[in-house]
Amino acid sequence: MAALGGLLTCSLVFGAGFNAKNVKPSGLTVAQAEQVLRVVLKHERYKTYDRRLWIDGPWLTEGMPSIPGYHSFGVVYIVNTQGHYSINIFTGDVWQTESCERYSFPALMAIQERIALKTGKKLASDDDARSDVGCP
């Protein structure tokens, strides 16, 4: 039982960086998507407090998101890219688009539920989401 309590506490701490209160039916702003990404980075044990780690983006093509319906970013440490990430603006679904890894953990799922309540959208199936972000 103590382990479950620790897991819940850990999940709440990871999710504490996101407030869904201001999410609009039109989806996440760039700043909100970056907050969701920071929750994932903390979960993945990145030292997000380190000033040498920064988030590059959002990536745009002709003024539009590089992947329609997603805000995409690069995570850089000093001068080395650590990964490319895309966050679905309607669901908070997070993908590492180079490895085609979809993130799912309790704190993120709680955030995604709160986003879904605001946008009225649900997470896509794995196959549909993979196709959206260009993963095989």
Side-chain angles (χ1 to χ4, degrees), residues 38-87:
R38 286 183 181 281
V39 169
V40 170
L41 294 176
K42 286 178 185 177
H43 179 266
E44 293 297 302
R45 306 225 189 300
Y46 280 91
K47 296 176 182 172
T48 58
Y49 56 83
D50 188 332
R51 291 182 187 267
R52 297 173 296 175
L53 181 82
W54 52 281
I55 296 175
D56 178 40
W59 294 340
L60 304 173
T61 302
E62 296 180 12
M64 300 298 293
S66 57
I67 300 174
Y70 288 78
H71 290 303
S72 298
F73 304 91
V75 174
V76 181
Y77 181 71
I78 304 174
V79 295
N80 297 312
T81 301
Q82 303 299 299
H84 300 165
Y85 297 84
S86 293
I87 297 84

Short mmCIF file of all heavy atoms in Angstrom, two decimals, residues 38-87:
data_model
loop_
_atom_site.label_atom_id
_atom_site.label_comp_id
_atom_site.label_asym_id
_atom_site.label_seq_id
_atom_site.Cartn_x
_atom_site.Cartn_y
_atom_site.Cartn_z
N ARG A 38 6.97 19.31 -20.76
CA ARG A 38 7.82 19.37 -19.57
C ARG A 38 7.44 18.30 -18.55
O ARG A 38 8.31 17.75 -17.87
CB ARG A 38 7.76 20.76 -18.94
CG ARG A 38 8.52 21.80 -19.73
CD ARG A 38 8.53 23.17 -19.06
NE ARG A 38 9.24 24.12 -19.89
CZ ARG A 38 10.57 24.22 -19.97
NH1 ARG A 38 11.32 23.42 -19.24
NH2 ARG A 38 11.13 25.12 -20.74
N VAL A 39 6.16 17.97 -18.46
CA VAL A 39 5.72 16.88 -17.57
C VAL A 39 6.36 15.57 -18.04
O VAL A 39 6.87 14.79 -17.24
CB VAL A 39 4.18 16.78 -17.53
CG1 VAL A 39 3.72 15.51 -16.83
CG2 VAL A 39 3.59 18.02 -16.85
N VAL A 40 6.35 15.34 -19.36
CA VAL A 40 6.97 14.13 -19.91
C VAL A 40 8.47 14.13 -19.67
O VAL A 40 9.05 13.11 -19.26
CB VAL A 40 6.65 13.99 -21.42
CG1 VAL A 40 7.47 12.88 -22.07
CG2 VAL A 40 5.16 13.74 -21.62
N LEU A 41 9.11 15.26 -19.89
CA LEU A 41 10.56 15.33 -19.69
C LEU A 41 10.93 15.06 -18.23
O LEU A 41 11.91 14.35 -17.96
CB LEU A 41 11.10 16.70 -20.12
CG LEU A 41 10.98 17.01 -21.61
CD1 LEU A 41 11.45 18.43 -21.90
CD2 LEU A 41 11.75 15.99 -22.45
N LYS A 42 10.16 15.60 -17.30
CA LYS A 42 10.41 15.32 -15.88
C LYS A 42 10.24 13.82 -15.60
O LYS A 42 11.03 13.22 -14.88
CB LYS A 42 9.48 16.14 -15.00
CG LYS A 42 9.87 17.59 -14.94
CD LYS A 42 8.91 18.39 -14.09
CE LYS A 42 9.26 19.86 -14.13
NZ LYS A 42 8.29 20.68 -13.39
N HIS A 43 9.20 13.24 -16.17
CA HIS A 43 8.96 11.80 -16.00
C HIS A 43 10.13 10.98 -16.54
O HIS A 43 10.50 9.95 -15.96
CB HIS A 43 7.66 11.40 -16.71
CG HIS A 43 7.35 9.94 -16.60
ND1 HIS A 43 7.72 9.04 -17.58
CD2 HIS A 43 6.72 9.23 -15.65
CE1 HIS A 43 7.32 7.84 -17.22
NE2 HIS A 43 6.72 7.92 -16.06
N GLU A 44 10.71 11.46 -17.63
CA GLU A 44 11.84 10.76 -18.25
C GLU A 44 13.17 11.12 -17.59
O GLU A 44 14.22 10.77 -18.08
CB GLU A 44 11.89 11.08 -19.75
CG GLU A 44 10.71 10.51 -20.52
CD GLU A 44 10.67 9.00 -20.46
OE1 GLU A 44 11.66 8.36 -20.88
OE2 GLU A 44 9.65 8.45 -19.99
N ARG A 45 13.10 11.86 -16.50
CA ARG A 45 14.24 12.21 -15.66
C ARG A 45 15.21 13.21 -16.29
O ARG A 45 16.39 13.24 -15.97
CB ARG A 45 14.99 10.98 -15.18
CG ARG A 45 14.08 9.96 -14.49
CD ARG A 45 14.64 9.42 -13.25
NE ARG A 45 13.98 8.31 -12.61
CZ ARG A 45 12.75 8.27 -12.16
NH1 ARG A 45 11.97 9.30 -12.31
NH2 ARG A 45 12.25 7.22 -11.55
N TYR A 46 14.70 14.02 -17.21
CA TYR A 46 15.50 15.13 -17.70
C TYR A 46 15.59 16.17 -16.59
O TYR A 46 14.63 16.38 -15.85
CB TYR A 46 14.86 15.78 -18.93
CG TYR A 46 15.12 15.04 -20.22
CD1 TYR A 46 14.23 14.07 -20.66
CD2 TYR A 46 16.23 15.33 -20.99
CE1 TYR A 46 14.45 13.39 -21.85
CE2 TYR A 46 16.46 14.67 -22.19
CZ TYR A 46 15.56 13.69 -22.60
OH TYR A 46 15.80 13.03 -23.77
N LYS A 47 16.71 16.83 -16.49
CA LYS A 47 16.90 17.88 -15.49
C LYS A 47 16.36 19.19 -16.09
O LYS A 47 17.11 20.03 -16.58
CB LYS A 47 18.37 17.99 -15.11
CG LYS A 47 18.87 16.73 -14.43
CD LYS A 47 20.34 16.81 -14.14
CE LYS A 47 20.78 15.51 -13.49
NZ LYS A 47 22.22 15.42 -13.33
N THR A 48 15.05 19.35 -16.05
CA THR A 48 14.40 20.48 -16.70
C THR A 48 14.77 21.82 -16.07
O THR A 48 14.58 22.86 -16.69
CB THR A 48 12.87 20.32 -16.71
OG1 THR A 48 12.41 20.18 -15.36
CG2 THR A 48 12.46 19.10 -17.51
N TYR A 49 15.32 21.79 -14.88
CA TYR A 49 15.76 23.02 -14.21
C TYR A 49 17.11 23.50 -14.73
O TYR A 49 17.52 24.63 -14.49
CB TYR A 49 15.83 22.81 -12.69
CG TYR A 49 16.73 21.66 -12.31
CD1 TYR A 49 18.10 21.82 -12.21
CD2 TYR A 49 16.19 20.39 -12.08
CE1 TYR A 49 18.93 20.75 -11.88
CE2 TYR A 49 17.01 19.32 -11.76
CZ TYR A 49 18.37 19.51 -11.66
OH TYR A 49 19.18 18.45 -11.35
N ASP A 50 17.83 22.65 -15.44
CA ASP A 50 19.16 22.98 -15.96
C ASP A 50 19.00 23.97 -17.13
O ASP A 50 18.36 23.65 -18.13
CB ASP A 50 19.86 21.71 -16.42
CG ASP A 50 21.32 21.91 -16.80
OD1 ASP A 50 21.70 23.03 -17.22
OD2 ASP A 50 22.08 20.94 -16.69
N ARG A 51 19.58 25.14 -17.00
CA ARG A 51 19.46 26.18 -18.04
C ARG A 51 20.08 25.77 -19.37
O ARG A 51 19.81 26.39 -20.40
CB ARG A 51 20.10 27.48 -17.57
CG ARG A 51 19.36 28.14 -16.44
CD ARG A 51 20.05 29.45 -16.09
NE ARG A 51 19.49 30.06 -14.93
CZ ARG A 51 18.53 30.98 -14.96
NH1 ARG A 51 18.04 31.36 -16.11
NH2 ARG A 51 18.07 31.51 -13.85
N ARG A 52 20.92 24.74 -19.37
CA ARG A 52 21.53 24.28 -20.62
C ARG A 52 20.58 23.38 -21.41
O ARG A 52 20.85 23.06 -22.56
CB ARG A 52 22.84 23.56 -20.33
CG ARG A 52 23.88 24.49 -19.69
CD ARG A 52 25.10 23.76 -19.25
NE ARG A 52 24.70 22.82 -18.18
CZ ARG A 52 25.51 21.94 -17.61
NH1 ARG A 52 26.76 21.85 -18.00
NH2 ARG A 52 25.08 21.16 -16.65
N LEU A 53 19.46 23.00 -20.79
CA LEU A 53 18.43 22.22 -21.47
C LEU A 53 17.34 23.19 -21.89
O LEU A 53 16.81 23.94 -21.07
CB LEU A 53 17.84 21.16 -20.52
CG LEU A 53 16.77 20.27 -21.15
CD1 LEU A 53 17.43 19.16 -21.95
CD2 LEU A 53 15.87 19.68 -20.09
N TRP A 54 17.01 23.18 -23.15
CA TRP A 54 15.98 24.09 -23.62
C TRP A 54 15.11 23.43 -24.68
O TRP A 54 15.48 22.42 -25.27
CB TRP A 54 16.57 25.41 -24.11
CG TRP A 54 17.67 25.31 -25.12
CD1 TRP A 54 18.98 25.01 -24.87
CD2 TRP A 54 17.56 25.49 -26.52
NE1 TRP A 54 19.69 25.02 -26.04
CE2 TRP A 54 18.85 25.32 -27.07
CE3 TRP A 54 16.52 25.81 -27.37
CZ2 TRP A 54 19.11 25.44 -28.43
CZ3 TRP A 54 16.77 25.93 -28.73
CH2 TRP A 54 18.05 25.75 -29.24
N ILE A 55 13.94 24.02 -24.85
CA ILE A 55 12.96 23.50 -25.80
C ILE A 55 12.94 24.44 -27.01
O ILE A 55 12.71 25.64 -26.87
CB ILE A 55 11.58 23.37 -25.15
CG1 ILE A 55 11.65 22.34 -24.02
CG2 ILE A 55 10.53 23.00 -26.18
CD1 ILE A 55 10.38 22.21 -23.20
N ASP A 56 13.17 23.88 -28.18
CA ASP A 56 13.19 24.61 -29.43
C ASP A 56 11.86 24.42 -30.14
O ASP A 56 11.44 23.30 -30.38
CB ASP A 56 14.34 24.09 -30.30
CG ASP A 56 14.41 24.78 -31.65
OD1 ASP A 56 14.20 26.00 -31.70
OD2 ASP A 56 14.67 24.08 -32.65
N GLY A 57 11.21 25.50 -30.47
CA GLY A 57 9.95 25.37 -31.19
C GLY A 57 8.93 26.37 -30.72
O GLY A 57 9.25 27.24 -29.91
N PRO A 58 7.78 26.26 -31.23
CA PRO A 58 7.26 25.16 -32.04
C PRO A 58 7.78 25.21 -33.47
O PRO A 58 8.09 26.28 -33.99
CB PRO A 58 5.74 25.39 -32.01
CG PRO A 58 5.61 26.88 -31.94
CD PRO A 58 6.77 27.33 -31.08
N TRP A 59 7.86 24.05 -34.08
CA TRP A 59 8.31 23.97 -35.45
C TRP A 59 7.13 24.23 -36.37
O TRP A 59 6.06 23.65 -36.22
CB TRP A 59 8.90 22.60 -35.73
CG TRP A 59 10.16 22.34 -34.95
CD1 TRP A 59 10.98 23.26 -34.36
CD2 TRP A 59 10.72 21.07 -34.67
NE1 TRP A 59 12.03 22.64 -33.74
CE2 TRP A 59 11.89 21.29 -33.91
CE3 TRP A 59 10.36 19.77 -34.98
CZ2 TRP A 59 12.70 20.25 -33.47
CZ3 TRP A 59 11.16 18.74 -34.55
CH2 TRP A 59 12.33 18.99 -33.80
N LEU A 60 7.38 25.12 -37.32
CA LEU A 60 6.34 25.52 -38.26
C LEU A 60 6.82 25.33 -39.68
O LEU A 60 8.02 25.44 -39.96
CB LEU A 60 5.95 26.98 -38.04
CG LEU A 60 5.50 27.36 -36.63
CD1 LEU A 60 5.31 28.87 -36.52
CD2 LEU A 60 4.22 26.63 -36.26
N THR A 61 5.88 25.10 -40.57
CA THR A 61 6.14 25.05 -42.01
C THR A 61 5.18 26.05 -42.64
O THR A 61 3.96 25.89 -42.54
CB THR A 61 5.89 23.64 -42.57
OG1 THR A 61 6.73 22.71 -41.87
CG2 THR A 61 6.18 23.59 -44.06
N GLU A 62 5.74 27.09 -43.22
CA GLU A 62 4.94 28.17 -43.81
C GLU A 62 3.92 28.71 -42.82
O GLU A 62 2.76 28.95 -43.15
CB GLU A 62 4.28 27.69 -45.11
CG GLU A 62 5.30 27.33 -46.18
CD GLU A 62 4.67 26.86 -47.48
OE1 GLU A 62 3.45 27.01 -47.66
OE2 GLU A 62 5.42 26.34 -48.31
N GLY A 63 4.35 28.88 -41.57
CA GLY A 63 3.51 29.47 -40.53
C GLY A 63 2.51 28.53 -39.90
O GLY A 63 1.76 28.93 -39.00
N MET A 64 2.49 27.29 -40.32
CA MET A 64 1.55 26.30 -39.79
C MET A 64 2.34 25.19 -39.08
O MET A 64 3.50 24.95 -39.41
CB MET A 64 0.72 25.67 -40.93
CG MET A 64 -0.10 26.69 -41.72
SD MET A 64 -1.33 27.55 -40.73
CE MET A 64 -2.44 26.22 -40.34
N PRO A 65 1.68 24.50 -38.11
CA PRO A 65 2.38 23.39 -37.44
C PRO A 65 2.94 22.39 -38.46
O PRO A 65 2.30 22.09 -39.46
CB PRO A 65 1.29 22.74 -36.58
CG PRO A 65 0.33 23.85 -36.32
CD PRO A 65 0.33 24.68 -37.59
N SER A 66 4.16 21.92 -38.19
CA SER A 66 4.80 20.99 -39.12
C SER A 66 4.03 19.67 -39.23
O SER A 66 4.07 19.01 -40.26
CB SER A 66 6.25 20.73 -38.72
OG SER A 66 6.32 20.25 -37.40
N ILE A 67 3.32 19.29 -38.17
CA ILE A 67 2.41 18.14 -38.21
C ILE A 67 1.03 18.71 -37.84
O ILE A 67 0.84 19.20 -36.73
CB ILE A 67 2.80 17.04 -37.21
CG1 ILE A 67 4.20 16.50 -37.52
CG2 ILE A 67 1.77 15.90 -37.21
CD1 ILE A 67 4.72 15.51 -36.48
N PRO A 68 0.07 18.69 -38.77
CA PRO A 68 -1.24 19.27 -38.48
C PRO A 68 -1.87 18.68 -37.21
O PRO A 68 -1.87 17.46 -37.02
CB PRO A 68 -2.07 18.92 -39.72
CG PRO A 68 -1.05 18.76 -40.81
CD PRO A 68 0.15 18.16 -40.13
N GLY A 69 -2.36 19.57 -36.35
CA GLY A 69 -3.00 19.14 -35.11
C GLY A 69 -2.04 18.89 -33.97
O GLY A 69 -2.45 18.47 -32.89
N TYR A 70 -0.75 19.15 -34.18
CA TYR A 70 0.27 18.93 -33.16
C TYR A 70 1.16 20.16 -33.04
O TYR A 70 1.42 20.84 -34.04
CB TYR A 70 1.17 17.74 -33.53
CG TYR A 70 0.51 16.40 -33.39
CD1 TYR A 70 -0.37 15.92 -34.35
CD2 TYR A 70 0.78 15.60 -32.28
CE1 TYR A 70 -0.99 14.68 -34.22
CE2 TYR A 70 0.17 14.35 -32.15
CZ TYR A 70 -0.71 13.91 -33.12
OH TYR A 70 -1.31 12.68 -32.99
N HIS A 71 1.63 20.42 -31.84
CA HIS A 71 2.72 21.37 -31.64
C HIS A 71 3.97 20.51 -31.50
O HIS A 71 4.01 19.59 -30.68
CB HIS A 71 2.51 22.20 -30.37
CG HIS A 71 1.38 23.17 -30.47
ND1 HIS A 71 1.30 24.15 -31.45
CD2 HIS A 71 0.29 23.35 -29.69
CE1 HIS A 71 0.21 24.87 -31.26
NE2 HIS A 71 -0.42 24.40 -30.21
N SER A 72 4.98 20.80 -32.31
CA SER A 72 6.21 19.99 -32.32
C SER A 72 7.39 20.82 -31.84
O SER A 72 7.50 22.01 -32.13
CB SER A 72 6.48 19.47 -33.73
OG SER A 72 5.42 18.62 -34.14
N PHE A 73 8.26 20.15 -31.09
CA PHE A 73 9.41 20.79 -30.46
C PHE A 73 10.63 19.88 -30.54
O PHE A 73 10.50 18.67 -30.66
CB PHE A 73 9.14 21.03 -28.97
CG PHE A 73 7.90 21.83 -28.67
CD1 PHE A 73 6.69 21.19 -28.46
CD2 PHE A 73 7.96 23.21 -28.59
CE1 PHE A 73 5.54 21.92 -28.16
CE2 PHE A 73 6.82 23.95 -28.29
CZ PHE A 73 5.61 23.31 -28.08
N GLY A 74 11.79 20.50 -30.41
CA GLY A 74 13.02 19.77 -30.19
C GLY A 74 13.50 20.04 -28.78
O GLY A 74 13.28 21.14 -28.25
N VAL A 75 14.08 19.06 -28.15
CA VAL A 75 14.67 19.25 -26.83
C VAL A 75 16.18 19.21 -27.03
O VAL A 75 16.71 18.25 -27.60
CB VAL A 75 14.19 18.17 -25.84
CG1 VAL A 75 14.92 18.29 -24.52
CG2 VAL A 75 12.68 18.29 -25.63
N VAL A 76 16.84 20.27 -26.57
CA VAL A 76 18.27 20.44 -26.80
C VAL A 76 18.99 20.59 -25.47
O VAL A 76 18.53 21.32 -24.58
CB VAL A 76 18.53 21.69 -27.67
CG1 VAL A 76 20.03 21.88 -27.94
CG2 VAL A 76 17.75 21.62 -28.97
N TYR A 77 20.11 19.89 -25.33
CA TYR A 77 20.99 20.05 -24.17
C TYR A 77 22.30 20.60 -24.70
O TYR A 77 22.98 19.94 -25.49
CB TYR A 77 21.19 18.74 -23.43
CG TYR A 77 22.07 18.88 -22.22
CD1 TYR A 77 21.60 19.55 -21.09
CD2 TYR A 77 23.36 18.39 -22.20
CE1 TYR A 77 22.40 19.71 -19.97
CE2 TYR A 77 24.17 18.54 -21.09
CZ TYR A 77 23.68 19.20 -19.97
OH TYR A 77 24.48 19.37 -18.87
N ILE A 78 22.64 21.79 -24.30
CA ILE A 78 23.80 22.56 -24.77
C ILE A 78 23.65 22.75 -26.29
O ILE A 78 22.98 23.68 -26.71
CB ILE A 78 25.14 21.97 -24.34
CG1 ILE A 78 25.17 21.81 -22.80
CG2 ILE A 78 26.30 22.82 -24.82
CD1 ILE A 78 26.39 21.11 -22.25
N VAL A 79 24.22 21.89 -27.10
CA VAL A 79 24.04 21.99 -28.55
C VAL A 79 23.58 20.65 -29.15
O VAL A 79 23.49 20.53 -30.37
CB VAL A 79 25.33 22.47 -29.27
CG1 VAL A 79 25.68 23.88 -28.86
CG2 VAL A 79 26.49 21.52 -29.01
N ASN A 80 23.31 19.66 -28.31
CA ASN A 80 22.93 18.34 -28.79
C ASN A 80 21.43 18.12 -28.67
O ASN A 80 20.86 18.24 -27.59
CB ASN A 80 23.66 17.25 -27.99
CG ASN A 80 25.16 17.34 -28.17
OD1 ASN A 80 25.64 17.45 -29.28
ND2 ASN A 80 25.88 17.34 -27.07
N THR A 81 20.82 17.76 -29.78
CA THR A 81 19.39 17.47 -29.76
C THR A 81 19.15 16.17 -29.01
O THR A 81 19.78 15.15 -29.30
CB THR A 81 18.84 17.36 -31.20
OG1 THR A 81 19.09 18.59 -31.86
CG2 THR A 81 17.36 17.05 -31.20
N GLN A 82 18.26 16.23 -28.04
CA GLN A 82 17.92 15.07 -27.23
C GLN A 82 16.72 14.31 -27.79
O GLN A 82 16.52 13.14 -27.48
CB GLN A 82 17.62 15.49 -25.79
CG GLN A 82 18.76 16.25 -25.13
CD GLN A 82 20.02 15.43 -25.05
OE1 GLN A 82 20.06 14.38 -24.42
NE2 GLN A 82 21.07 15.89 -25.70
N GLY A 83 15.92 14.98 -28.60
CA GLY A 83 14.77 14.32 -29.20
C GLY A 83 13.81 15.32 -29.81
O GLY A 83 13.87 16.51 -29.55
N HIS A 84 12.93 14.78 -30.64
CA HIS A 84 11.87 15.55 -31.29
C HIS A 84 10.54 15.06 -30.72
O HIS A 84 10.28 13.85 -30.71
CB HIS A 84 11.89 15.34 -32.80
CG HIS A 84 13.17 15.75 -33.44
ND1 HIS A 84 13.51 15.38 -34.71
CD2 HIS A 84 14.20 16.52 -33.00
CE1 HIS A 84 14.69 15.88 -35.03
NE2 HIS A 84 15.13 16.57 -34.00
N TYR A 85 9.69 15.99 -30.30
CA TYR A 85 8.44 15.64 -29.63
C TYR A 85 7.28 16.38 -30.27
O TYR A 85 7.41 17.55 -30.64
CB TYR A 85 8.51 16.03 -28.15
CG TYR A 85 9.57 15.27 -27.39
CD1 TYR A 85 10.89 15.70 -27.41
CD2 TYR A 85 9.26 14.12 -26.69
CE1 TYR A 85 11.88 15.01 -26.73
CE2 TYR A 85 10.24 13.41 -26.01
CZ TYR A 85 11.55 13.87 -26.04
OH TYR A 85 12.53 13.18 -25.37
N SER A 86 6.15 15.70 -30.37
CA SER A 86 4.93 16.31 -30.89
C SER A 86 3.80 16.05 -29.91
O SER A 86 3.63 14.93 -29.42
CB SER A 86 4.59 15.74 -32.27
OG SER A 86 5.57 16.14 -33.21
N ILE A 87 3.03 17.12 -29.63
CA ILE A 87 1.94 17.07 -28.66
C ILE A 87 0.64 17.39 -29.39
O ILE A 87 0.52 18.46 -30.02
CB ILE A 87 2.16 18.08 -27.50
CG1 ILE A 87 3.43 17.72 -26.69
CG2 ILE A 87 0.98 18.11 -26.55
CD1 ILE A 87 4.69 18.24 -27.25
#
